[in-house]
Amino acid sequence: MRIGFLGGLSGRVADLGIGGRNGAILAVELRNQQGGIDGRPIELIAEDDQQDAEVARKAADRLLARGVEAVIGPMTSAMALVVLPQFNTAGIPLISPTATTNALTALDDQFFRVVAPTAAHVFKSAEHYFRQGGVRRVVLVCDLRNKAYSESWANDFRQAFEGMGGQVVDEASIDSGDSLAALAASILASKPDGVVIISNSVDTALLIQQIRMRDSEVRIGTAEWAATERLIELGGRAVEGVVVAQYVDRESTAPAYQAFLRAYRQRFSHEPGFPGLTAFDATNVALDAIAARSSGQTLKQALLAHGRFAGAQSPIDIDGNGDARRDTFLSAIHDGRFKSLY
């Protein structure tokens, strides 16, 4: 029995894909230690989408040609939009650990996810900056290389923040080849009291360094996409105090989460962060649905019929369109660690 994994496993921002692949590997290995599914071992086939549309389509074709039951991934909304038509045609579920664009919400298709779409959680960040952070004038910075996600997040933030009385004074963009020094200067030109960056961990860390070289006081926050250990490793002292949205409660004492943490650290010798956790959950969702599938039932039907799945940290509720209800969390970086704010 085969399942696939599709994510960005190479390049400068591969931390998201590698964490996701490792989470999927761990879920498969633990299931095989328990005898697989009905005595059949599970094989995981991983493909690198390189965050490139044409590469992703070819990788998806290879996975489908291998007869996979489901594919875990992609790890970004942009790649999910690219490959979903292939999975709809094949009738094979695509279960994303981390794609949250609203463009994939409430559709009758083969797309499933284990995190909520941005519309369900971005208001939390907006409320924190306005009510607890005292931010009134904010600049949003969107990464155009994952436009489906960053624009969805930015639009939901703008609606919530301006609804409270705040003002988005400017929107800036990150694209390939941009000078982050010039971008930082442009962001600060409108004299905001807050900057929210919607980008990967690498570019977020480097941009924050450039901003801090010019302004030590402006409040800075990030979307969930940046919330990997790379943000702290690369950002160093510049990212101290930055508010980071999270898909994971890093201080959870839930027994299942603590067991997952121990197993992941022992297997891979690094922290799982949110990519490892959400991919672990997505893989178990696929495996649980395969195990529960009745004769004549498609895997999509089995996923929808099952509905609620046991996640490592909290239950995962999937609605009739494959969208998940799942909480998000806010943290701040303090002494080189993510610390929960609430």
Side-chain angles (χ1 to χ4, degrees):
M1 179 182 304
R2 293 170 175 163
I3 64 170
F5 173 84
L6 182 61
L9 301 175
S10 58
R12 61 194 291 272
V13 294
D15 54 329
L16 187 69
I18 291 170
R21 179 201 60 192
N22 291 349
I25 288 172
L26 181 62
V28 166
E29 289 179 349
L30 292 177
R31 191 67 59 112
N32 281 336
Q33 289 172 16
Q34 298 168 2
I37 296 176
D38 296 331
R40 298 168 59 196
I42 302 119
E43 178 186 0
L44 179 70
I45 305 168
E47 287 279 357
D48 182 4
D49 65 28
Q50 297 180 30
Q51 288 299 287
D52 178 276
E54 191 54 37
V55 172
R57 291 187 188 99
K58 291 177 180 177
D61 281 339
R62 289 193 295 272
L63 289 171
L64 291 170
R66 297 287 300 274
V68 294
E69 300 265 1
V71 168
I72 310 306
M75 299 295 286
T76 64
S77 296
M79 292 302 101
L81 287 170
V82 164
V83 303
L84 179 57
Q86 295 163 265
F87 289 88
N88 286 338
T89 299
I92 299 296
L94 188 66
I95 307 175
S96 177
T98 47
T100 60
T101 177
N102 292 331
L104 291 170
T105 301
L107 300 177
D108 182 11
D109 55 14
Q110 292 291 335
F111 180 74
F112 292 78
R113 52 184 156 198
V114 298
V115 290
T118 60
H121 59 77
V122 169
F123 72 91
K124 230 183 215 189
S125 292
E127 186 174 50
H128 171 81
Y129 296 125
F130 188 86
R131 303 200 188 285
Q132 278 72 45
V135 174
R136 295 296 180 267
R137 291 169 46 82
V138 71
V139 173
L140 299 179
V141 185
C142 295
D143 191 328
L144 298 183
R145 293 160 297 189
N146 190 10
K147 189 174 180 179
Y149 167 77
S150 60
E151 287 197 345
S152 182
W153 205 100
N155 289 339
D156 289 328
F157 182 95
R158 176 191 287 273
Q159 182 177 352
F161 190 69
E162 292 184 342
M164 296 172 202
Q167 182 183 6
V168 176
V169 296
D170 196 11
E171 283 198 28
S173 60
I174 301 175
D175 208 343
S176 299
D178 285 348
S179 163
L180 296 181
L183 178 58
S186 172
I187 288 167
L188 296 172
S190 54
K191 301 189 183 305
D193 51 14
V195 177
V196 179
I197 304 169
I198 311 161
S199 184
N200 61 76
S201 59
V202 175
D203 288 307
T204 298
L206 298 179
L207 179 56
I208 290 172
Q209 287 178 334
Q210 292 294 327
I211 292 171
R212 283 290 176 241
M213 287 169 62
R214 294 160 174 80
D215 189 325
S216 61
E217 300 298 326
V218 67
R219 295 172 179 84
I220 302 176
T222 83
E224 292 84 357
W225 186 15
T228 71
E229 273 60 30
R230 287 285 280 165
L231 176 65
I232 296 174
E233 291 168 8
L234 290 175
R237 292 184 59 82
V239 299
E240 282 288 308
V242 170
V243 173
V244 183
Q246 300 268 356
Y247 292 124
V248 53
D249 177 4
R250 290 172 177 267
E251 296 176 15
S252 171
T253 58
Y257 176 63
Q258 290 298 315
F260 159 76
L261 268 183
R262 288 191 296 272
Y264 189 100
R265 288 166 174 166
Q266 182 177 5
R267 176 66 172 82
F268 300 108
S269 300
H270 65 84
E271 293 299 308
F274 78 87
L277 174 68
T278 55
F280 180 80
D281 281 349
T283 307
N284 280 319
V285 164
L287 298 178
D288 287 348
I290 291 170
R293 180 174 50 184
S294 59
S295 178
Q297 194 177 41
T298 67
L299 185 53
K300 176 181 176 178
Q301 290 169 338
L303 284 160
L304 296 177
H306 200 292
R308 168 166 278 206
F309 296 84
Q313 194 166 90
S314 61
I316 301 163
D317 293 307
I318 293 178
D319 67 18
N321 291 308
D323 296 315
R325 292 182 295 278
R326 182 174 178 150
D327 206 359
T328 58
F329 308 89
L330 290 177
S331 63
I333 298 173
H334 180 69
D335 290 337
R337 298 185 64 189
F338 293 110
K339 298 288 187 180
S340 295
L341 286 174
Y342 303 106

